[in-house]
Structures are given as C-alpha cells and as structure tokens.
Amino acid sequence: MTVDVAVIGAGVSGLTAAYDLVRRGHEVVVLERQVRVGGKARSERMGAFLMEHGPSSVAADGAVPPLAHELGLDAARVELGAGVKHRYIVADGRLHAIAIHPAAFVTGRFLSTAGRLRVMAEAVIPRRADDVEETVAAFCRRRFGAEFADRVIDSLVCGMFAGSAHRLSMVATFPRLVEMERAYGSVLRGLIAGRLHGKRMPGRQLFSWRDGMASLPHALAARLGSRVKTGVAVRRIAANAHGYAIEAAGAGVLESRAVVIATQSHVAAGLLDKLDVAAATAAARIEAPPLAVAFLGYARRQIAHPLDGIGFLAPGGERRPVNGAMFCSSMFSGRAPDGFVALAAYVGGDRAPDLARRPAGEVIDAARQEFADLLGARGAPVLAQVRHWPRGLPQYRIGHRERLAPLCAASRHRPGLFLTGNYFAGLSVAACLAHASQTATSVDAFLRQRARELSAWTPEPCTVASRTL
C-alpha cells in the first residue's frame, strides 16, 4: 500500500493533521497503536456520570470552534454553567473564592493589601533589558511580586501543566505574556490593550460537548473513516528513494511519500532513532511526569460547599496531596445525574510524581480526604474511578525551545518527515489543533513541491547500441 502521507498517532493532533491533509486532496492513512482514537482526550460514561480522563474543556476562541462547526458538533455543544462564579485557591488550609473577573485579584481579599498594591505596580515596573531565559516563578516575582507569584501563579501552573513554576520556562510556557512585556513594557498594559480590542476573560469562554471531549477526536475519525487504522503499532520508519517505508506489527510495510509523527515525545524518540539521532535525543529529553485523575460522584446533600466555581487549585506551599480539583457537574450539564455531583481530583505531576503511581484505592482515599477537608464531603462517594497516566503532560522546562530546535529541523534533514504534538506550542486542545494545522500546511507544501519537481524532470533518452550476432 502506498499513500501520500502516513500519520502516526490518532490523538487530537494526528487526526487534525490527517483531516486537514485529506481536505487538501491527499491520500492519507492514520496508524494508531491503541484500539481507540483520541489519545488523552477520553470521555467515559458510567451510568449518568461522565468522566473526563484528560482535558475537560476547550476555549471558545481559536482553532476549535470553526473545526467543531465543520464537523457538525454545534448541536452537542454545552457552555460553562451559569452557576460558575468563582475560582478557588487553597490558602492557610482552606478555600478562598476569587471572582472570575480579571480584576478580582486586585479588588478581592485573597491577597494582602501590600500584595494587591504590588500587582498594580506591575504597570510601572521597567521591562527587562536582557533576554536571559527565566522560570515562570522568576518572571512573575519580578513583574508582580512574591505573594502573587507564590499563591496564584504557582497554583495555576500546577493546575494547567501539572508542573512547577520554579522549573518551567516562562517564554516556552506563557510566550504571550513575555511578548506583552516586550511590546508594552508591562503585562497589565498589554492585557488592558487586549481588553480594549474586545478580548474577553478566558475563564468565561470555556465549553465542551454533551458527550465530553472525546466528541472531537471521534468526529474527526468518523470523517476520516477507513483511513484510520487502530491497533496498529509502528515498529520502524526507514527512508527510501520514494519517501518512507513504515513497518507496522501485523500490518506489513506501508510506503508513503511523507510521514507525520503525532505521538507522545517518548514514542517519537523511538521512531526517530534510526532517522535523526539529534531529533530522537531531543524528544527523549522532554519529561512528562505521571499523573492520576480521581473521579468521584456524590449525592448533592453529601457536599457542604456550594460548588459555585470551576474548581480549586493548591499552591505548592500548602503541601496538599491533591494539586487541584474540578467541579465537573458545575462546569457543564450532563456530568452527573439529578441530585448528584461529580468532582475530579488531580494527583502527581511534576510536584509529586510518586503519588500518581500509587494504587487506585490510595488515590481515591487521598481525594476523599481532600474533599472532606476542603468541601465538607461526608460519607463515601457513590462512584469512584481512577485513571493512571504513566506519562502525563510534557514539561516545558528551561531550555525547551533549544530542545525543540532539532525536532523542528527534522524535515530539513529528512525531507518529508514532520512532527506535531502537545510538546511543541502548548498543551491545550486549541494549541494542539493550531500546530497540527500548521504542520499539515507544511506537508502539503512539501508534497506539491515534490510533485512539481517530478513533473519537470525529463529522463534522458535511453540509447541501446545495436550489434550483429
């Protein structure tokens, strides 16, 4: 079998790249070693409860809404619940409510008066003169002060990236904020400029679908149809004169003119090993500490807390066993039956990887204790489920951009070889879609250029000398 493009990996990134390439008129096959598509975007119905094993929402701006509309998902779209009024952060052993409005950190009481004044002073703090790479913690301490950095930013980084603000690169993790400092001399001035141009608060722009986040990869796979082959593990990719030969367990050898590797970074490292040593080494260096998700269902009367928010986050200084939690049934309808609530706790990541390796029973016990302590949960949950991710979210540590350089250069060293995934330009679904679409554009340009070269090439006439026998 010969195709234009072989996409390895049927997560959101791989399926998006494949879908884009099919729309551009190319013959594509998607090879996925798991028996189901979607990668970490996995949603599971348990009676009337719905558990998200991975991402739980997407932003209402960016690449997702147009694609979802094209896939016919608008009718299944569910918006953030009207009762979501706060975000919560743990401080001094209890939850503190912070309004979703962007000015809440300054106008509210979560930070001390001195801390709030220091945040407002960011507008007059001079921009940094040099380009030395900073950690998220260092940048935010310099711009906003220690209290905001330690209480708020550390919590957000742990919740969004399962990482540590003291280890992640600011320019790789939050490039837009770094650019605001460069362009406006201040992050606050940059945010104000954005608001004047009509940009809304991100927390109010979240949405999902009736059957969860898996709706997106499932819809993509349905459009791709028989082009998606699940349960097929790629063992080796070898370059040849026509492109690439792909050896897959139980499926023989597939020939393709181009290859898109859309797997996790450690899988990409193994596939690149015989093709590009520098790229393989770089991919292997991207860490993704284990993460566990505990999904618990309770009768509403068992929970004292109003659950009037997205969830809660805990800064590292609080030494909590749970990094944070989401109030799933408050965020979106259809996540729990009437009279019940659904909560999800996140354990492990870069802060405490060993906790994520504990047996399911211990992870559930940790979540139950945390919900009892912080939410007033009483009694046993009516439902408890755990998802262990041996490799969680990739960590954009200091030097991440330099680590990506050999991966971005792979297509120059091996024409027709491309990579995409959540370790390039962001962990969100929207970021993965955007990078996958950019990758598809590059693949399309490569194939069209190669077609032009072949059509312009005219072989020399073959002259056979005659001889008399």
Side-chain angles (χ1 to χ4, degrees), residues 61-353:
D61 55 0
V64 179
L67 178 60
H69 175 74
E70 188 173 325
L71 294 171
L73 289 174
D74 286 354
R77 176 166 163 164
V78 290
E79 305 295 337
L80 197 65
V84 174
K85 300 176 181 178
H86 301 99
R87 58 172 64 84
Y88 287 90
I89 293 181
V90 182
D92 302 320
R94 63 186 183 88
L95 295 184
H96 293 256
I98 303 172
I100 289 180
H101 191 278
F105 287 111
V106 177
T107 60
R109 297 292 180 181
F110 175 67
L111 299 177
S112 68
T113 300
R116 296 197 300 274
L117 291 173
R118 178 61 183 83
V119 171
M120 289 188 290
E122 192 275 341
V124 298
I125 299 295
R127 67 165 61 88
R128 193 176 185 187
D130 60 62
D131 290 326
V132 175
E133 189 173 12
E134 294 178 283
T135 65
V136 173
F139 177 94
C140 293
R141 277 173 165 260
R142 178 172 60 81
R143 296 295 326 167
F144 300 102
E147 186 178 355
F148 184 80
D150 295 345
R151 284 196 165 195
V152 177
I153 297 301
D154 186 62
S155 301
L156 291 175
V157 165
C158 188
M160 295 169 64
F161 305 99
S164 167
H166 296 277
R167 302 186 70 187
L168 295 187
S169 162
M170 184 67 190
V171 72
T173 307
F174 297 113
R176 289 181 60 188
L177 299 186
V178 174
E179 184 55 37
M180 284 180 187
E181 182 189 23
R182 291 173 179 167
Y184 298 95
S186 159
V187 174
L188 289 181
R189 290 205 294 269
L191 289 172
I192 291 170
R195 293 280 290 177
L196 291 175
H197 285 85
K199 295 182 179 179
R200 299 169 59 198
M201 175 63 187
R204 277 295 184 189
Q205 300 179 61
L206 301 178
F207 75 94
S208 183
W209 295 280
R210 183 172 51 248
D211 292 320
M213 292 298 297
S215 300
L216 181 61
H218 287 171
L220 285 165
R223 289 293 182 93
L224 291 167
S226 62
R227 299 179 183 91
V228 180
K229 315 292 184 184
T230 57
V232 177
V234 173
R235 299 302 187 196
R236 183 172 178 265
I237 305 172
N240 59 30
H242 305 289
Y244 295 89
I246 300 165
E247 298 178 11
V253 178
L254 168 73
E255 299 281 341
S256 69
R257 296 175 181 85
V259 173
V260 177
I261 298 177
T263 65
Q264 295 182 77
S265 58
H266 72 289
V267 177
L271 296 174
L272 290 165
D273 188 48
K274 303 300 181 183
L275 292 170
D276 189 325
V277 174
T281 301
R285 292 176 59 199
I286 298 173
E287 299 177 50
L291 187 67
V293 183
F295 181 85
L296 275 62
Y298 289 91
R300 183 64 187 90
R301 64 180 180 275
Q302 291 180 267
I303 308 294
H305 194 276
L307 302 180
D308 55 347
I310 292 174
F312 67 80
L313 297 170
E318 289 291 312
R319 307 288 183 184
R320 309 296 301 198
V322 170
N323 299 336
M326 303 197 94
F327 303 159
C328 309
S329 50
S330 297
M331 289 181 66
F332 301 113
S333 61
R335 270 46 179 175
D338 291 342
F340 294 81
V341 296
L343 308 171
Y346 299 85
V347 176
D350 197 37
R351 183 183 290 179

